[in-house]
Amino acid sequence: MSEGFVIPTRQKTDVLFQSTTPLGSGGSFESPIARVDGYNQVAILAVSDQPFTIVVTEAPGLPPTLAQPQQALVPVPSPPPLPPPSPPPAQNPPPLGVGGLVQTQPTITSSAVGGQQQVALRIQPFGVFMQMVLAPTGAGQTFLSFSALGIPLP
């Protein structure tokens, strides 16, 4: 047997979304849009002192108006634009597979566990981009711990 030969048994996970700021009644936490292709699952762990819901939305692609700055290309200096022709040409529809975020999971509702409200589950991404919205369903929170981790493909 060779010394120093190690088979990795665990891959690194990445934090996709997180928040520890309690939400007032009627408030919500809307995560940034994250790229989730390349993840086998997304692990969600959320704990609060008040009941809450989590809505998961996804998209196969996003129009440039929703693209995230960290995913944008570095701008290249270009000459000043020419004046627009009259009348302006019709706008092209977004490419096939590009559109807005749609709900892909049933609304996730917290459950009482040990005197606190909790969500602990894993979901499989369907789209390329994902966003989550967490909202209390009653009184405002005094405590919140929320994170969603991307678990890589095996």
Side-chain angles (χ1 to χ4, degrees):
M1 182 183 268
S2 168
E3 288 293 321
F5 180 74
V6 177
I7 297 173
T9 58
R10 185 169 185 276
Q11 294 181 347
K12 178 183 172 290
T13 60
D14 297 313
V15 176
L16 299 174
F17 317 118
Q18 66 182 4
S19 178
T20 56
T21 305
L23 302 166
S25 179
S28 66
F29 166 75
E30 186 175 297
S31 74
I33 298 169
R35 188 176 192 106
V36 294
D37 62 335
Y39 293 111
N40 186 41
Q41 294 181 333
V42 175
I44 303 168
L45 177 59
V47 180
S48 178
D49 59 329
Q50 297 296 323
F52 60 91
T53 60
I54 300 173
V55 174
V56 178
T57 57
E58 296 183 72
L62 294 174
T65 56
L66 293 177
Q68 296 296 300
Q70 65 267 24
Q71 297 167 347
L73 297 174
V74 176
V76 177
S78 59
L82 297 173
S86 285
Q91 294 293 326
N92 293 331
L96 187 61
V98 173
L101 295 158
V102 295
Q103 187 170 347
T104 56
Q105 303 282 331
T107 299
I108 302 164
T109 304
S110 64
S111 302
V113 177
Q116 294 183 331
Q117 293 289 315
Q118 175 179 304
V119 167
L121 78 137
R122 291 182 178 193
I123 60 173
Q124 186 171 7
F126 291 101
V128 175
F129 297 95
M130 180 182 285
Q131 183 177 45
M132 293 185 186
V133 177
L134 185 146
T137 56
Q141 302 168 330
T142 58
F143 169 76
L144 174 65
S145 177
F146 167 63
S147 64
L149 303 175
I151 300 171
L153 293 171

